[in-house]
Amino acid sequence: MSSMEWSSVSWLWVLLVLLHSLFHVSRGCFEEERNALLDYKAFANVTDDTSPYIFPPNLTSWDDKSNCCAWPRVRCNHTTGRVIEISLNYTIPYDRDAVMYLNATIFLPFVDLQSLDLSSNYLDGWLKNEGFERLHGLTKLQVLDLSWNKFNSSIVSSLLGFSSLKSLSLAGNFLEEFQGFERLHGLTKLQVLDLSSNNRLNSSILSSLLGFSSLKSLSLAGNNMEGPIPIQGMPLLTSIYRPRPI
């Protein structure tokens, strides 16, 4: 094949790739991702009669006909059409008597997901065998906010496979003294860790903080802790929010 013919083939390939990308953008988000978002809407029991819950906008505008990349709380990659950010904070109104168990596999279709916010939803946990450990295939996930739910310490083991995670918030949950927290050291890219307002955490967890070699920001405020924090094990740490003295 001559250089001119090779050049023509190369340009044809580029054109096909561009047309493929434009096709996905023009048709909106992927159907499996839209369906997954609608599954979450059903789980949150959001209907057209549901009044907007605090802030930001609720999910009432989500439907099975529109482009989910244009929905509030959803952001897509403009080239691929894939969902990369989902903000689902404050989507489940508080009910003192309700018990909310999440089926985390809802999020399996989001193969390019970079940020997931499930904060302030009063989630108690997840369905059996349907927890966050099923989502370790989301290799691009960098930000995970699970703050202000009702998760207990068992959630830690389900997070070990998120190797790309850079920011993790478990603030305002029911974490307490437990073994195995040091296993999170496998999250070698983790830079931000928020464990604040878990009032069952005590000083026994401090030794487990050693080994977060990439950590830059750590929050332990609002816990039942006392004593020194072993910052020597976190060489990149630049900000720390300590618990108040007892």
Side-chain angles (χ1 to χ4, degrees), residues 8-22:
S8 298
V9 170
S10 299
W11 278 109
L12 180 60
W13 174 251
V14 170
L15 180 60
L16 288 173
V17 171
L18 289 174
L19 288 174
H20 177 75
S21 299
L22 289 173

Side-chain angles (χ1 to χ4, degrees), residues 28 31 34 42 67 78-80 82 95 102 107 113 120 124 132 146 160 167 175 190 197 200 207 220 240 246:
E31 183 176 359
R34 178 171 57 237
N67 175 9
H78 294 301
T79 301
T80 65
R82 286 286 185 183
D95 183 342
L102 176 69
F107 302 104
L113 191 64
S120 302
D124 292 87
F132 291 104
L146 301 175
L160 303 180
S167 176
L175 306 186
L190 193 66
S197 301
R200 299 180 184 181
S207 61
L220 296 170
I240 183 168
I246 298 176

